[in-house]
Structure formats: C-alpha cells, structure tokens
Amino acid sequence: MPEKTKHQLALDLVNENRLKEAASLLAEAIGEKENADLWNDWATVQVALDQSKEARAGYGRALELDPENAQAQFNLGALLLNQGTSRRAIELLQQCSGHVSAQEQAAIHSLLRKHKNDSTVAD
C-alpha cells in the first residue's frame, strides 16, 4: 500500500479536528508543489480557524492556478457572500453551479435565493 501524501495526511488531521496541524502540513505541501486543490483545502481550514482574510487569499490563489476549479469557486463565493461582497460572490456561485455536489448545489440555490430577498447585502 502506497504511503499517504502530506495532503492526505492533512485531510486525516482535519477529520480528527486537529486543524492547526492540518494547516501546517498543507502549507508544507504547498511549499513543495502548489496546486489549486491544496490551496482550496488550506483555505477551508483557515475558515474553520476563523481566519477569513487568509482563507480569502487562499481561495484566490487556488483560482489563479485553476480558474475553473468549481470547489474553490463555491467556497470563495460562499465566503464572500457571508462577508457582504455580493457581486463577486454571485458570479462565482453561478460559475460553479452544476459542477459541485448535490448538497453544494442546494446551498448555492439557497444562498442566491436568500440574497435576492435580503436587501442588506452590499456590493
């Protein structure tokens, strides 16, 4: 059986709720050879650690590396919408619509529906 990659080990740490260790291991993996999936997962851990500025930058880097990465589009779109940045968020959520899981697809519809009904969200 092949050895687990740092990425796989970091995901195991996330499942064990060892988020700071997971973030560190993901950062090591990014330093060795960055890719959009590593940045997306690192940014998601940053969200869980309540580091939204870092998360936003990480999702942004993931999309620089792979502009069509639906998972990063979804994650950044949800983060931005929660932060009140609706124009870019809606654009990202619409781009990834149809390319994410059924659960995420339902979340997109819910977020977009809520945005239409919520006049307090600013651009």
Side-chain angles (χ1 to χ4, degrees), residues 58-75:
Y59 291 135
R61 181 63 182 146
L63 290 172
E64 286 175 14
L65 294 169
D66 180 4
E68 302 302 314
N69 187 303
Q71 195 63 58
Q73 290 171 337
F74 173 81
N75 291 334

Side-chain angles (χ1 to χ4, degrees), residues 12-72:
D12 289 345
L13 290 170
V14 168
N15 289 332
E16 295 170 13
N17 203 32
R18 296 166 58 188
L19 300 177
K20 288 184 180 180
E21 293 170 80
S24 179
L25 196 54
L26 286 166
E28 280 183 40
I30 288 168
E32 292 171 6
K33 185 172 174 151
E34 70 176 336
N35 65 50
D37 291 332
L38 284 169
W39 275 110
N40 179 70
D41 289 346
W42 179 85
T44 300
V45 171
Q46 297 307 307
V47 169
L49 291 170
D50 202 25
Q51 301 294 320
S52 60
K53 183 178 179 183
E54 290 81 358
R56 192 171 174 167
Y59 291 135
R61 181 63 182 146
L63 290 172
E64 286 175 14
L65 294 169
D66 180 4
E68 302 302 314
N69 187 303
Q71 195 63 58

Side-chain angles (χ1 to χ4, degrees), residues 66-121:
D66 180 4
E68 302 302 314
N69 187 303
Q71 195 63 58
Q73 290 171 337
F74 173 81
N75 291 334
L76 181 56
L79 178 65
L80 292 174
L81 199 57
N82 286 331
Q83 292 179 337
T85 309
S86 63
R87 183 174 295 136
R88 177 75 172 130
I90 290 167
E91 177 184 299
L92 288 165
L93 292 171
Q94 289 173 336
Q95 283 177 333
C96 72
S97 184
H99 303 285
V100 292
S101 72
Q103 184 178 7
E104 291 162 331
Q105 192 68 36
I108 289 169
H109 291 301
S110 176
L111 287 168
L112 293 176
R113 193 169 36 253
K114 180 180 184 296
H115 172 71
K116 275 187 174 181
N117 297 326
D118 186 359
S119 62
T120 64
V121 178

